[in-house]
């Protein structure tokens, strides 16, 4: 630079500021702004060059010149900072608009302000209410269960043919075939007996698993509700009465129940229970019976002193029945047009 006068320097600074200002205002993205910053405030910038010339000035002018350069730098930085805030806000706005998920989609269709529980959850909760109203407590057990709780303790020893009927899904944990996804809620009977002294009045709703192909009446993952009553002098009549009372209470008038002889290793005698719809047709709902003495013993309960009944049925099937749905798979495809009807 030829001239070393302060006036010249001021002129150069003004030019630089003007250029910087228009470049900053012209930048419309944060990336462009970063480049502009490099050009006007970075190492190779005009401002940095001007600064390096201060040494060539008259010593008496150096201080004022230095202050002028600093003032220019601060001015440019301030303009830059304001512009950056604006541009970054705009970019964020655009991004948020692009990423926005329309959560109102479902509720506006139906003009409802919010969703509701799934049919199975509704049935589950209603059943808990019905049974709690009858004096039962709600118990729980793990979904990954030991082979012992799921089978042996329920009077199904290792080579028992009943094991085949359960299409068990085993879990790789511990000894081979020692851990499984429970095939029914009945292992909660054992856990309840081991955890407390009789009398016991519990229900245990929960998820169960079987190696099944999905069809209108089967799913590989489904829900059962187990019931267990242990007290003195419990009879088959108590079992039948309990099932009838629950049927009426859950389904309302017009529905009734019946027991048909059946076989389960963990109950003796055993029965299947069906529910009759108001149109007269029957639906097989679950199994029940007087708890086998071997099962009571496995749970540490003396069969000479206590007697017990148990029942277990599919919650999902019950929901189908209540809502008049004819295909179990409908419950789990999660088609909103279907689900929001219930
Ligand atoms: N656990 C049986 C099943 O899943 C149902 C059942 C429960 C039968 C309790 C009798 C007593 O098929």
């Amino acid at each position: 630079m030829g001239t070393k006068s302060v006036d010249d320097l001021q002129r150069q600074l003004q030019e630089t500021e003007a250029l910087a200002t228009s470049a900053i205002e012209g930048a419309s993205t944060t990336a462009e702004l970063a480049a502009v910053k490099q050009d006007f405030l970075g190492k190779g910038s005009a401002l940095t060059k001007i600064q390096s010339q201060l040494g060539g000035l008259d010593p008496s002018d150096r201080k004022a010149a230095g202050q002028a350069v600093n003032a220019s730098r601060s001015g440019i930085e301030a303009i830059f900072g304001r512009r950056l805030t604006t541009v970054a806000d705009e970019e964020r706005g655009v991004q948020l608009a692009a990423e926005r998920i329309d959560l109102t989609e479902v509720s506006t269709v139906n003009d409802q302000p919010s969703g509701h529980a799934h049919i199975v959850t509704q049935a589950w909760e209603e059943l808990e209410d019905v049974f709690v109203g009858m004096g039962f407590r709600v118990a729980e057990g793990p979904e990954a269960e030991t082979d012992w709780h799921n089978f042996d303790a329920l009077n199904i020893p290792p080579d028992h043919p009943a094991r085949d009927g359960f299409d068990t899904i085993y879990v790789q944990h511990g000894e081979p075939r020692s851990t499984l996804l429970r095939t029914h809620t009945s292992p909660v009977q054992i856990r309840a007996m081991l955890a407390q002294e009789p009398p016991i009045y519990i229900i245990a709703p929960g998820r169960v698993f079987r190696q099944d192909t999905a069809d209108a009446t089967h799913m590989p993952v489904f829900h059962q509700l187990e019931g267990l009553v242990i007290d003195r002098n419990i009879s088959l009549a108590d079992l039948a009465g309990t099932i009838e009372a629950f049927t009426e209470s859950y389904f309302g008038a017009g529905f009734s129940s019946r027991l048909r002889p059946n076989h389960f290793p963990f109950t003796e005698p055993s029965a299947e229970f069906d529910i009759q719809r108001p149109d007269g047709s029957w639906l097989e709902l679950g199994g029940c019976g007087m708890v086998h003495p071997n099962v009571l013993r496995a749970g540490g309960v003396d069969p000479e002193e206590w007697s017990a009944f148990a029942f277990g049925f599919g919650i999902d099937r019950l929901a189908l029945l209540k809502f008049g749905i004819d295909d179990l798979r409908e419950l789990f495809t999660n088609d909103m047009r279907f689900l929001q009807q219930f």
Side-chain angles (χ1 to χ4, degrees):
M1 192 148 58
T3 175
K4 308 261 188 278
S5 81
V6 177
D7 281 352
D8 249 357
L9 193 86
Q10 289 283 20
R11 195 178 39 74
Q12 282 178 23
L13 287 174
Q14 273 164 16
E15 268 171 22
T16 306
E17 277 174 52
L19 284 172
T21 305
S22 77
I24 290 169
E25 298 300 344
S28 55
T29 67
T30 48
E32 280 171 33
L33 272 175
V36 170
K37 184 178 188 183
Q38 188 58 37
D39 287 349
F40 288 93
L41 296 166
K43 272 203 179 121
S45 68
L47 212 56
T48 306
K49 277 186 203 135
I50 294 170
Q51 207 155 13
S52 68
Q53 293 163 5
L54 294 181
L57 285 177
D58 238 41
S60 57
D61 290 337
R62 253 182 237 161
K63 188 174 177 209
Q67 281 170 349
V69 173
N70 285 340
S72 284
R73 183 176 286 276
S74 311
I76 294 171
E77 276 169 356
I79 293 166
F80 178 83
R82 279 196 297 274
R83 182 73 186 144
L84 183 62
T85 307
T86 309
V87 170
D89 274 358
E90 281 168 8
E91 271 179 11
R92 192 164 159 64
V94 170
Q95 190 186 1
L96 285 179
E99 288 174 1
R100 182 164 178 269
I101 299 168
D102 185 3
L103 298 175
T104 62
E105 188 187 356
V106 173
S107 56
T108 52
V109 170
N110 234 358
D111 216 14
Q112 281 174 357
S114 61
H116 60 71
H118 188 274
I119 310 168
V120 173
T121 311
Q122 288 179 38
W124 177 320
E125 287 174 353
E126 249 176 83
L127 287 165
E128 283 189 359
D129 287 348
V130 166
F131 281 106
V132 167
M134 290 166 69
F136 287 76
R137 292 197 315 129
V138 179
E140 278 183 330
E143 292 180 347
E145 189 49 284
T146 70
D147 185 73
W148 185 80
H149 287 90
N150 195 85
F151 289 128
D152 298 59
L154 290 166
N155 202 31
I156 313 176
D159 295 310
H160 197 286
R163 289 206 177 201
D164 300 336
F166 280 106
D167 304 305
T168 309
I169 299 168
Y170 284 91
V171 173
Q172 282 189 359
H173 179 80
E175 292 288 306
R177 301 205 146 220
S178 62
T179 311
L180 46 78
L181 297 181
R182 64 179 178 190
T183 57
H184 50 177
T185 41
S186 299
V188 186
Q189 290 185 33
I190 304 298
R191 292 188 175 271
M193 290 181 214
L194 293 173
Q196 61 196 289
E197 295 297 321
I200 294 175
Y201 289 75
I202 55 128
I203 54 156
R207 264 205 307 190
V208 301
F209 309 81
R210 290 186 198 175
Q211 237 166 41
D212 240 335
T213 309
D215 65 25
T217 51
H218 296 87
M219 288 293 287
V221 181
F222 57 106
H223 303 84
Q224 280 190 337
L225 188 140
E226 191 80 10
L228 173 68
V229 167
I230 307 182
D231 210 330
R232 293 192 164 87
N233 305 315
I234 291 293
S235 72
L236 202 61
D238 297 315
L239 168 59
T242 302
I243 287 180
E244 186 67 25
F246 128 76
T247 306
E248 266 181 34
S249 174
Y250 180 73
F251 289 105
F255 284 81
S256 61
S257 64
R258 74 173 174 202
L259 301 187
R260 279 181 298 123
N262 197 354
H263 175 77
F264 296 103
F266 30 91
T267 44
E268 179 59 40
S270 302
E272 196 88 58
F273 66 93
D274 305 330
I275 305 281
Q276 188 175 36
R277 303 184 184 92
D279 71 359
S281 61
W282 292 92
L283 188 94
E284 178 186 318
L285 199 62
C288 60
M290 302 306 292
V291 178
H292 195 288
N294 287 350
V295 176
L296 292 175
R297 274 186 217 106
V301 173
D302 180 1
E304 303 295 327
E305 188 182 353
W306 303 97
S307 48
F309 70 72
F311 57 85
F313 58 79
I315 299 178
D316 321 70
R317 281 196 187 182
L318 202 83
L320 293 193
L321 194 57
K322 177 146 186 168
F323 293 106
I325 301 162
D326 50 22
D327 193 322
L328 196 54
R329 290 167 293 190
E330 296 270 30
L331 295 183
F332 305 107
T333 40
N334 291 334
D335 182 335
M336 291 310 302
R337 290 165 302 181
F338 171 79
L339 289 177
Q340 62 196 0
Q341 298 172 53
F342 303 97

